[in-house]
Amino acid sequence: MSTVKEITNLTSPPTPCPTHKDESSNLPTDSDQIASNNDSKKTCPGSKPPSTPSIPYTVYTQDQKRRLRLLLGFATITSPLTATCYFPLLPLLRTHFHSSAQAINLTLTIYIIFQALSPAVFGPLSDSVGRRVVFLITLAVYALGNLGLALNKSSYAALLVLRALQSVGASAALAVSYGVVADVCVPSERGRTLGPVSMALNLGACVGPVIGGSVAWTSGSYEWVFWSLVIVGVVLWLAVGLFLPETARVLVGNGGSDAERWWWEESWWSVLMHGLSTQKSNTETENHEGQNRGDSPVSSRKSILQQCRFVNPLACLRVMFHLDTCFALWMQGSFYVVDYAVVAAMPDIFQDIYRFNELQIGLTYIPRGIGIIAGGFCIGKIMDYNYKTVARKIGWNIDEVAGDDLQQFPIERARARGSYFLLIISTAILVGYGWAVTNHAHLAIVLILQFIQGSMGCCFYNTYNALLVDVFPESPSTAAAAASIVRCAMAAAGVAILQPLLAALNRGWYFTVLGIWSGVCGALAVWMIERKGMSWRAQRVEKRSAGNRANVSG
């Protein structure tokens, strides 16, 4: 069976049931209209399954998925670890390179710029040539960039170039990881996968400031930080090479046929095990060699150079301008601005008000990092619960084997469920945090508020990243790359106006304005997602399908 046929079977609609009518649906009006126009594609609650068994969405077992979660979490640790451990090094870098604060701050700007550009290139590339090869390339670039930074002793120009190289290697990992999750997890269980991935990912947010702060305080040198990142990059590159197989569905389908893989798409461990087993069964392989060669779809697949030829690095920009995705992107970007504002203000807060040194300032990031980890764990379970709750309310039978047809399911309503409650908490925490530090509140109060704020931000990231992956099943890494671009652009703007706003307002009013802005705009975005998201998505899908039909007929 060819890969194209397999993917077609995986995405085929459920058995029609024209006689069924859902009497208990609570969907918004536009969702009801879409559902009524597609009744022939819906599955009757309680109806018998078709006579032919459905093809599994993936062949990965739950134990294999758990190992993938761990590997993906640590593979994506590069971006937060690299970003957060750099902040305490800024005074050392100014002294060592005899540069002004503005010149060294330019390295932060360059990092943010390439943090946006890297996913824009490697996200669509991973949707075309595969997740594994992109992971190996970017982690190799990351390790080489850190090696250059560790060896660079005097060149400010080299510092800028190597900082860009470091960002390119570190920043694509999250977009590619979301693609892997979409490849191997049905929509109803993506929450429980994204939660642990986020927990492991945000370990970098905990240990990064501690590493940078401790080095700055004890050694007075920045080199050991970059040598540590070299070790991290090499270890992660080896781990991905050894244990991560190719999962991109456009290349390997549900992962069930080893004959469909090129040699570089196999993990090194699998290649080793396959080589040992081949030696034991050489006779049997020779007997079936002609049949396997004739049935293998590899011969019909494009080479990796042909696949690269069709990659459009600007594809993720189109995602931003679709009505069904722009509000989800806003939710991501606005709370990234909130997070950056809190993180960027923390050093001055704890130095000016609490008289902390560099090491102590680094340690103050730990409660917030723990909050991020806790938020990632909880929101994963909440997302799966919300999915099942909405499915139960509309009488939808969840297919945990082949996966649900999300064209007929109100995934926007499932993902956004409970967001208003989280927005209220987030707004209250930001306002309280601003006035707590303004009035020199006890340190424990400030750290607890940072813990809660970190967990709220993580909840919004994971929820709306999952929604983007859900509504772009054919190119999940491209959608995640679009989210990265929006986040970084909004964060860069937020950091640029941080100091002028703090100068015009005290910290209490600054965080009050920030909290009200994020809460009110977030509530409007959630309302639009719930009310109009599904109908906008249906219009986009229909327009794309009409374009594909026109291209085929032409």
Side-chain angles (χ1 to χ4, degrees):
M1 188 187 331
S2 68
T3 305
V4 174
K5 291 182 179 179
E6 183 175 348
I7 298 297
T8 303
N9 291 334
L10 286 171
T11 58
S12 59
T15 304
C17 181
T19 61
H20 169 66
K21 180 172 179 163
D22 183 8
E23 299 292 337
S24 61
S25 175
N26 293 323
L27 290 176
T29 303
D30 63 322
S31 302
D32 285 332
Q33 183 177 358
I34 294 170
S36 65
N37 291 337
N38 295 279
D39 278 340
S40 60
K41 297 180 182 179
K42 292 185 69 173
T43 302
C44 291
S47 62
K48 293 181 180 180
S51 56
T52 57
S54 58
I55 299 177
Y57 185 83
T58 181
V59 298
Y60 288 91
T61 65
Q62 291 299 325
D63 186 54
Q64 290 173 320
K65 291 177 185 177
R66 281 192 289 270
R67 290 197 291 268
L68 266 181
R69 285 198 295 261
L70 183 64
L71 179 60
L72 291 176
F74 284 107
T76 54
I77 200 174
T78 53
S79 183
L81 179 67
T82 306
T84 55
C85 74
Y86 192 78
F87 289 114
L89 303 180
L90 297 179
L92 292 177
L93 293 172
R94 288 197 293 266
T95 302
H96 184 86
F97 288 95
H98 307 288
S99 301
S100 65
Q102 184 177 1
I104 294 300
N105 286 343
L106 182 59
T107 64
L108 297 176
T109 304
I110 287 178
Y111 188 90
I112 294 176
I113 291 172
F114 283 91
Q115 193 177 26
L117 294 178
S118 179
V121 175
F122 290 108
L125 190 66
S126 74
D127 287 330
S128 178
V129 305
R131 322 291 183 202
R132 173 180 166 82
V133 65
V134 171
F135 248 136
L136 290 174
I137 290 172
T138 53
L139 286 173
V141 170
Y142 176 72
L144 291 174
N146 285 307
L147 179 63
L149 287 167
L151 296 175
N152 181 33
K153 303 296 184 182
S154 58
S155 174
Y156 173 75
L159 176 66
L160 296 178
V161 173
L162 292 169
R163 183 67 170 160
L165 195 65
Q166 183 191 47
S167 181
V168 167
S171 304
L174 185 60
V176 181
S177 293
Y178 273 89
V180 175
V181 172
D183 293 335
V184 303
C185 295
V186 297
S188 60
E189 66 174 25
R190 283 175 188 166
R192 77 187 73 164
T193 302
L194 290 174
V197 168
S198 177
M199 289 171 60
L201 163 69
N202 286 291
L203 282 174
C206 289
V207 302
V210 177
I211 293 175
S214 60
V215 169
W217 187 63
T218 57
S219 69
S221 173
Y222 64 89
E223 297 172 7
W224 282 109
V225 172
F226 294 126
W227 280 116
S228 300
L229 295 179
V230 170
I231 296 172
V232 169
V234 171
V235 170
L236 291 177
W237 186 84
L238 291 173
V240 168
L242 280 170
F243 301 116
L244 180 67
E246 183 53 65
T247 63
R249 301 182 68 81
V250 296
L251 302 181
V252 298
N254 66 354
S257 175
D258 291 336
E260 296 179 0
R261 299 178 187 268
W262 294 106
W263 61 267
W264 61 78
E265 294 171 346
E266 292 282 357
S267 67
W268 298 335
W269 182 260
S270 297
V271 171
L272 177 61
M273 294 296 101
H274 181 69
L276 295 176
S277 63
T278 301
Q279 294 178 2
K280 297 180 181 179
S281 57
N282 189 45
T283 303
E284 181 179 353
T285 302
E286 290 178 355
N287 293 336
H288 295 281
E289 185 179 10
Q291 180 181 357
N292 288 340
R293 185 181 294 117
D295 294 341
S296 175
V298 170
S299 59
S300 64
R301 281 181 50 184
K302 299 180 180 71
S303 69
I304 191 168
L305 293 179
Q306 290 173 318
Q307 293 163 7
C308 289
R309 208 172 292 163
F310 293 99
V311 172
N312 181 6
L314 300 180
C316 56
L317 297 181
R318 291 196 294 266
V319 176
M320 304 177 192
F321 299 101
H322 294 306
L323 288 174
D324 63 313
T325 55
C326 64
F327 290 102
L329 290 170
W330 172 266
M331 291 297 293
Q332 282 233 333
S334 62
F335 282 93
Y336 198 66
V337 171
V338 170
D339 274 6
Y340 242 91
V342 173
V343 171
M346 283 172 59
D348 288 338
I349 288 173
F350 288 104
Q351 186 176 36
D352 297 343
I353 298 176
Y354 298 97
R355 305 300 178 186
F356 281 7
N357 59 37
E358 290 86 350
L359 177 60
Q360 291 172 321
I361 291 174
L363 293 175
T364 61
Y365 285 83
I366 292 180
R368 186 177 177 278
I370 296 174
I372 293 174
I373 294 174
F377 176 80
C378 295
I379 198 61
K381 295 184 178 298
I382 292 172
M383 278 195 289
D384 287 349
Y385 173 79
N386 288 341
Y387 188 101
K388 294 175 181 176
T389 299
V390 172
R392 185 174 62 251
K393 286 183 177 180
I394 66 173
W396 183 278
N397 287 335
I398 297 176
D399 189 345
E400 295 187 352
V401 177
D404 294 322
D405 179 14
L406 293 185
Q407 292 187 25
Q408 310 304 319
F409 185 80
I411 189 63
E412 292 85 357
R413 178 180 164 190
R415 297 304 186 208
R417 187 174 184 269
S419 291
Y420 292 119
F421 178 69
L422 296 179
L423 285 169
I424 293 172
I425 296 177
S426 175
T427 301
I429 291 300
L430 281 172
V431 173
Y433 181 77
W435 292 109
V437 297
T438 299
N439 294 302
H440 299 196
H442 191 277
L443 178 63
I445 297 175
V446 176
L447 296 180
I448 290 172
L449 292 174
Q450 288 180 183
F451 171 89
I452 301 174
Q453 188 277 324
S455 65
M456 291 296 102
C458 185
C459 289
F460 289 116
Y461 294 155
N462 284 10
T463 298
Y464 291 96
N465 245 334
L467 177 58
L468 289 170
V469 169
D470 290 330
V471 299
F472 283 92
E474 73 285 352
S475 53
S477 289
T478 301
S484 179
I485 293 175
V486 172
R487 284 199 312 265
C488 294
M490 293 183 67
V495 172
I497 64 174
L498 174 63
Q499 290 301 328
L501 285 178
L502 284 176
L505 307 169
N506 62 28
R507 292 187 178 100
W509 283 113
Y510 170 76
F511 283 105
T512 298
V513 171
L514 187 65
I516 295 175
W517 169 79
S518 61
V520 172
C521 294
L524 177 61
V526 171
W527 186 83
M528 296 299 292
I529 289 170
E530 290 186 327
R531 295 289 299 177
K532 303 293 292 182
M534 187 176 180
S535 62
W536 285 335
R537 171 164 55 97
Q539 293 170 11
R540 172 176 59 83
V541 172
E542 177 58 31
K543 183 178 180 180
R544 186 191 63 196
S545 300
N548 292 339
R549 290 193 297 268
N551 292 334
V552 172
S553 62

